[in-house]
Amino acid sequence: MDLPNGLDQWQWQQIPIQVLGQQTAYQLTQPEQPDWQQLNRWYPDCTDARLNNYWVCVIGDTTWSFFEFEQQRWVLMPVVIPKVSRESALPLGLDILSQSQSNGYRITVYFSNKPYNLLQRQLRFRLAQLIARVETLEQEDDLWILEGEHGRLVFSRHENWTFVTLMQ
């Protein structure tokens, strides 16, 4: 697999890994530390918020993760997820993190690197006719009750990540 544009300007060492078949990861050798400003210039739509030094970016048809594997050891690799056909009940192309069933509800958890307020504004515009009421659970979390069988949305943020849980 070829490295994404921009990242191919840095020096990497290939690391074979065994995850759902043979995959290749790349260890950063030069520079020793990622230049996050340069990374943001190459991929401005991706977040530079790092949860425990973890960066995720969709580049072309591949979702790439870039993380600090050990102290001072940075690894770039494609995210390996089995292909599952899932229709998103929400607009805006939110990424599905998980789906499950609990207490008679189908629960879908989405995540986005869009800012919390921007994502809420966009969803409010797209779902305006479905929103029956909005309740604030905490200072930063909201619950949206949707009309009829459309369910409920719970919004929460963690640093620059926004998580949306749909319960139907």
Side-chain angles (χ1 to χ4, degrees), residues 132-144:
R133 73 179 190 269
V134 174
E135 298 176 8
T136 300
L137 300 175
E138 296 176 9
Q139 289 180 350
E140 298 179 349
D141 295 351
D142 283 343
L143 168 67
W144 293 6

Side-chain angles (χ1 to χ4, degrees), residues 10-127:
W10 293 348
Q11 292 180 14
W12 303 90
Q13 176 184 356
Q14 287 190 5
I15 306 168
I17 56 171
Q18 189 71 31
V19 177
L20 298 174
Q22 187 65 29
Q23 295 291 323
T24 301
Y26 303 90
Q27 180 179 336
L28 182 63
T29 57
Q30 281 292 16
E32 289 181 11
Q33 291 291 310
D35 182 341
W36 296 106
Q37 291 179 340
Q38 190 173 36
L39 196 61
N40 284 339
R41 283 193 301 275
W42 291 334
Y43 302 104
D45 294 335
C46 297
T47 182
D48 69 337
R50 295 176 299 282
L51 303 175
N52 296 323
N53 291 326
Y54 191 81
W55 178 83
V56 176
C57 185
V58 177
I59 303 170
D61 294 334
T62 304
T63 301
W64 290 88
S65 61
F66 189 37
F67 56 95
E68 189 173 22
F69 177 67
E70 295 173 341
Q71 189 173 12
Q72 307 295 322
R73 185 173 174 199
W74 291 86
V75 174
L76 174 72
M77 65 182 286
V79 175
V80 180
I81 301 173
K83 294 291 184 193
V84 177
S85 177
R86 304 187 221 192
E87 289 295 317
S88 175
L90 294 178
L92 303 175
L94 292 168
D95 293 312
I96 296 175
L97 188 60
S98 72
Q99 289 183 316
S100 62
Q101 295 278 343
S102 180
N103 296 327
Y105 288 99
R106 185 176 74 220
I107 300 170
T108 307
V109 179
Y110 301 86
F111 75 98
S112 175
N113 62 353
K114 291 182 180 180
Y116 182 85
N117 292 334
L118 173 63
L119 182 62
Q120 278 198 335
R121 257 194 327 270
Q122 290 174 336
L123 281 172
R124 190 169 303 198
F125 177 76
R126 297 289 293 275
L127 300 174

